[in-house]
Amino acid sequence: MTTIHERQYRTLLTSAETAVTMIPSGAKVAMPLAAGQPPALLAALAERARARAVEDVRLYYLLCAGVAGKSVFDFELRDLIVPMSYFHSGVERALDKRRLAEALPAVDLVPCHFSQVPRSMIEHVGVDTLIATVSRMDEDGNFSLGASTDYALTISRKPGLRLILEVNSNMPYVRGDCMIPVSSATALVENNISLPILPAAPRNEVDDAIGAIIAGLVDDGDCLQMGIGALPDAVCSGLSRHRHLGIHTEMMTPGLASLVKVGVVDNSRKQTHAGRSIFTFALGDQALYDFLDNNPSVEAYPVDYVNNPFVIARNDRVVSVNATLQIDLNGACNSEFVNGRQFSASGGQVDFVRGAYASRGGRSIIACHSTAANGTLSRIVPTLTGPVTTSRNDTHIVVTEYGWANLKGKSVAERASALIGLAHPDFREGLERATRETGLC
């Protein structure tokens, strides 16, 4: 670290309480998702709002961490700091439950593919501030966005942006296109605390059955993208005997990291970034963050690059694995609504569905349990009860614990028949009746 960088650092260093005074009423603030959300800055901003020193701040983000739920998104601050979510999590669902009880509108959502979030925030929303957690500064005067490059890197380069960084030595120093120079910062604060941990989702026999089916669809040398949750974890467990796999994924998970550690993933057969695992954000346990820190085999890039379907398709034999909540008999997927309310959002599902299918020899896999609500509801339905996340034209391979079906090249009637075969036996008769009533067969 040179003297000039050290001098710049010290000049910009301040307290979180002072830094948030730079955020005026009416500001449009972006923060990275999950591990990149800065606890000290969020707590200080919440206190400033409680003191009525700031109001009408709109906060734009994906996948809220608990620290934001306990600070800026305190229910009592709802008229002062407004959550503008691109992807709901447990925080928004808890807020919606409280809001419903008080006859208030639900937390608002900005519909957007993950790859398009940077453009949405910069061009259409016009965010004027970015607050983010970053790694320690390197000898060249750069901070790594580490586990949360996502849309933050692209936004950080917006001219005239107010850029307030929370430096945390526990944020892994990750390589790639994920660096912010100290000269770009408006203010710096220090807060060396542990990063948020995402506990492993509990797996059951159905998850393992689906994981085994999907693992059987993966060939040596394929390039992987995995989503979040028990199903992708089960797939990773089923890949232990594969070789020469690659990773180009939006989310780096403990399951994917484990495949690198045991040599299943070596990225040797990728056409882009050969020898490197590519991701845009990471969330998991401390072992994952330790794995990422200063690891030359792993690189992070902004989401408008990683999730760009044209970039994804540059690698051959990309296999994307994502979960859904419902599939209708045409093959359309609702991956974001439950009981008539926003549960998550589209995220990067469509980005990788399209990118994987466009790659040479690529396969896009959508997976789900055949039932929900303790077996009382079928996830394969005549009509979706929420928005279409992945259209019927895009859906490729569908997997449940009852097998898999390739929907490409199938007519509407053939799709309905194939999907009924993947449904739980208790619901097949009703689905067949629905096909007759709607004229699908």
Side-chain angles (χ1 to χ4, degrees):
M1 188 185 302
T2 65
T3 302
I4 188 171
H5 295 142
E6 292 173 344
R7 192 160 53 242
Q8 287 177 313
Y9 187 102
R10 294 301 166 191
T11 299
L12 294 169
L13 189 62
T14 187
S15 68
E17 292 74 18
T18 299
V20 297
T21 64
M22 302 175 186
I23 301 175
S25 294
K28 295 179 178 179
V29 182
M31 66 177 177
L33 55 76
Q37 294 169 5
L41 291 171
L42 291 173
L45 182 59
E47 286 305 311
R48 188 164 165 76
R50 288 191 186 94
R52 298 299 191 268
V54 69
E55 62 183 6
D56 191 30
V57 172
R58 293 178 176 264
L59 198 51
Y60 294 83
Y61 62 95
L62 274 79
L63 196 58
C64 184
V67 64
K70 296 174 182 175
S71 55
V72 287
F73 295 154
D74 184 322
F75 183 77
E76 303 306 323
L77 299 179
R78 64 190 180 278
D79 295 327
L80 302 170
I81 301 177
V82 182
M84 300 296 292
S85 171
Y86 282 76
F87 191 100
H88 279 21
S89 68
V91 170
E92 291 75 24
R93 294 192 285 272
L95 283 172
D96 280 350
K97 186 176 181 180
R98 178 81 180 271
R99 286 169 176 244
L100 181 62
E102 307 222 5
L104 295 170
V107 174
D108 213 352
L109 179 102
V110 184
C112 191
H113 297 308
F114 197 7
S115 63
Q116 297 174 2
V117 168
R119 181 179 177 186
S120 174
M121 288 191 181
I122 293 170
E123 182 178 330
H124 304 300
V125 170
V127 295
D128 50 47
T129 306
L130 174 66
I131 57 174
T133 296
V134 293
S135 75
R136 60 198 180 277
M137 187 168 70
D138 65 20
E139 61 183 12
D140 296 318
N142 294 317
F143 305 100
S144 172
L145 282 161
S148 293
T149 298
D150 49 64
Y151 42 90
L153 192 281
T154 305
I155 291 172
S156 74
R157 294 169 174 170
K158 178 185 177 183
L161 184 81
R162 190 182 297 112
L163 180 56
I164 305 175
L165 303 177
E166 185 167 315
V167 183
N168 185 346
S169 61
N170 291 305
M171 173 63 82
Y173 181 86
V174 178
R175 306 176 188 212
D177 186 13
C178 57
M179 302 295 178
I180 297 179
V182 65
S183 58
S184 295
T186 306
L188 303 174
V189 304
E190 294 179 338
N191 186 30
N192 297 318
I193 64 170
S194 298
L195 297 183
I197 299 297
L198 179 68
R203 281 165 42 194
N204 57 31
E205 293 180 355
V206 175
D207 295 315
D208 289 338
I210 295 173
I213 292 170
I214 295 174
L217 296 173
V218 176
D219 298 323
D220 288 349
D222 285 348
C223 183
L224 304 177
Q225 178 264 329
M226 298 284 175
I228 188 171
L231 284 178
D233 288 347
V235 176
C236 289
S237 295
L239 294 173
S240 61
R241 296 185 179 181
H242 283 65
R243 292 294 179 267
H244 305 301
L245 297 180
I247 291 176
H248 183 109
T249 186
E250 67 179 29
M251 180 179 182
M252 180 62 71
T253 66
L256 288 173
S258 70
L259 295 178
V260 179
K261 293 175 184 177
V262 300
V264 170
V265 167
D266 62 14
N267 295 294
S268 62
R269 298 187 183 177
K270 290 170 64 178
Q271 284 65 50
T272 65
H273 304 284
R276 303 287 185 270
S277 295
I278 303 303
F279 73 101
T280 196
F281 79 97
L283 187 58
D285 53 18
Q286 187 58 48
L288 173 64
Y289 302 136
D290 293 342
F291 164 78
L292 295 175
D293 189 39
N294 209 24
N295 186 339
S297 74
V298 181
E299 294 180 348
Y301 289 81
V303 71
D304 40 343
Y305 175 81
V306 173
N307 280 43
N308 183 327
F310 296 101
V311 172
I312 295 166
R314 290 176 191 164
N315 281 307
D316 294 343
R317 295 164 55 190
V318 175
V319 177
S320 73
V321 180
N322 290 283
T324 194
L325 298 168
Q326 282 184 322
I327 305 174
D328 73 14
L329 292 175
N330 284 277
C333 302
N334 160 30
S335 305
E336 49 190 301
F337 250 52
V338 173
N339 295 327
R341 286 188 168 272
Q342 197 77 42
F343 182 82
S344 56
S346 60
Q349 183 171 117
V350 177
D351 296 331
F352 273 93
V353 164
R354 291 177 175 170
Y357 186 70
S359 75
R360 186 169 62 176
R363 282 140 286 153
S364 160
I365 298 171
I366 299 288
C368 65
H369 291 203
S370 65
T371 63
N374 295 317
T376 62
L377 296 174
S378 176
R379 290 191 185 274
I380 296 176
V381 296
T383 305
L384 299 182
T385 59
V388 173
T389 306
T390 296
S391 76
R392 66 179 185 174
N393 293 354
D394 288 311
T395 305
H396 184 188
I397 295 171
V398 175
V399 179
T400 74
E401 68 270 30
Y402 291 100
W404 65 278
N406 181 353
L407 300 190
K408 293 294 188 181
K410 285 184 169 57
S411 69
V412 169
E414 290 169 336
R415 284 169 172 238
S417 177
L419 289 166
I420 290 171
L422 301 181
H424 191 284
D426 290 350
F427 295 96
R428 291 177 187 173
E429 183 178 347
L431 291 169
E432 288 169 352
R433 184 166 55 250
T435 64
R436 292 191 294 272
E437 292 171 352
T438 56
L440 288 178
C441 66

